[in-house]
Amino acid sequence: MHMTVERVSYLHEEEIAKLMNVIKHSLHPEDSGEALIVRRALALVRNGAIDSYTYDSVEEKILVKISGVEIVDVKISFNDLNTECTCSHNGWCAHRTAVIFHLYLQFHSLTDWVHEWRRTEAEQLVLTISDRTPEAWNDVLTRLTRPLRTIELQENPAVFIHEFSLIDQKAIPLAPFEWEWKPLFDVYYRLQALDAAWPYVYAHLGDNESSFSYGKWYVKNWVTDQLRKLHDSVIALSTKPKLFSTDAFHEQLKYMVRTFTLKNTGLFNERFQAYRSFWEHLFVENTLRKKELELLKKEETSEAVILISLFDILNGNHEQLDDLVQHVTSDNFTNWLPLADLADVEGDTESLAAIMRALLPFIGEHLTQSVQLARRSVFVRKIDGLLESANFPEDERENMFSYYGETGVDVYADFLVERERFHEWAALMHRYNVSYDVAEAGGLKIALSEDPAAVLPLLHRYATAFINERNRQSYRRAVKLFKKMKTGSKKSGKSEFWNRYVDTVRDKNRRLRALMEEMEKGNLNL
């Protein structure tokens, strides 16, 4: 017979409490799959998916129909607390759990039960992490970050960010109270989070930066934020006195960061950034670096070669680096750029020159095939800056601009202005039809001050373009340019030329009354 849910709950309150206890101990919040069952069960209850209860008073059984993606039947026996479901899931499925939740909800707070269920997990983690060993910390943090390891690679980035925010909240009470231990714990936590999330991160970011989406932007920001926090914690850890009791933790960290860097796939620059933070700031003793080098030499990968080169730069081993840069190819070009940045920061001109000399043949190919059009100008400026820091001859640097093409115009313009080659600068502006606003923000003011005669033809072109726009605002801009040309002509001793030029412009545009008025106001004759 049909019976209301309130009546069923009232008759079997004790049995329902026992079933809730079974669920509590059968489904664990730290297990992402079991936590998902609970979330789906809660969703079924909130959405009113439980349609009807049919009660057998003789055998004390109920049959419940649930409408969701599919219609399923759940049977519960209150005599032996046995449950059955027509879905294909063995054990506690979302449907059986939802029925028990729905019955429990009639006289109790389901929200309080869920909070208690999740709190017990946190208490277990705190109890385990109180054991100050690297193994205990890694065990707890592996369990804590398990949702990042098991998340579907196609899952929406918003879900990924939400999952991590929940993990972040759970990590707060796990951190040690002592200030000496806090940065060490944070380093462990950030490394575990990055390692756990890396398959998902790489699936969304990949090695190709040409595509863009908001989801990709979310994930990229997450990685950047985690690497920054990891770096900050490493710096904080390196400035604190090292405790004897942390020796085992430091030893384990070497293994963890090496494994993270070499065993994961893709986005090598980000992995290298994490590895560099540790060995540049925390593990600075020569004996530690020698041991790490021996371990890296056993790794037969191109990425290990780059890590070995990192130590050659840090230790000033130029001869060894000269041999290693022979491994540079177009495929691993981007992997070597962080080493060039490091050599530049360290002021190691010799190492930087060796790396840039090896990269030089592949710069043009990499620019055209791998760098986004919107980022090419930034890339060119970075490469030219590294070549300059490496003391490359100016003619070699200038020859490279033929590879850069139009994307290198602003960098080449700066190159010419720095050397006061203003005639060539003006010709460059002409050739690539650079707008007046861009030229003014670049070297125009300097050129007018140092060699005004060199830029008079360029200013004439800009003024003519403004006049052709046929509006008063543009006429005013043209007159402002004429005033600059007037000053330049006077400085160059070309007063007679300038007066003839102004008269010619007036004659040519005599019918443009607004222009004539603006020119008259400008008092352009010398």
Side-chain angles (χ1 to χ4, degrees), residues 7 10 83 110 116 220 228 294 322 370 433 443:
R7 183 63 177 167
Y10 173 75
T83 62
L110 187 57
E116 177 65 22
K220 178 66 175 177
R228 178 184 59 78
E294 293 302 318
D322 289 340
S370 302
N433 199 26

Side-chain angles (χ1 to χ4, degrees), residues 441-461:
L444 181 57
K445 292 180 180 178
I446 300 175
L448 276 170
S449 173
E450 299 296 328
D451 188 0
V455 294
L456 287 178
L458 180 64
L459 291 179
H460 166 71
R461 196 198 85 184

Side-chain angles (χ1 to χ4, degrees), residues 60-96:
E60 294 189 334
K61 292 181 179 179
I62 57 169
L63 180 65
V64 186
K65 188 174 292 296
I66 298 180
S67 300
V69 178
E70 56 181 348
I71 298 176
V72 298
D73 293 324
V74 176
K75 185 184 293 184
I76 297 176
S77 172
F78 291 112
N79 282 328
D80 55 8
L81 302 182
N82 185 46
T83 62
E84 299 176 15
C85 182
T86 56
C87 75
S88 58
H89 192 283
N90 294 323
W92 284 101
C93 62
H95 309 105
R96 303 181 212 203

Side-chain angles (χ1 to χ4, degrees), residues 23 27 37-38 41 45 92-102:
I23 293 173
L27 302 178
I37 291 173
V38 172
V45 173
W92 284 101
C93 62
H95 309 105
R96 303 181 212 203
T97 308
V99 171
I100 304 302
F101 282 176
H102 194 225

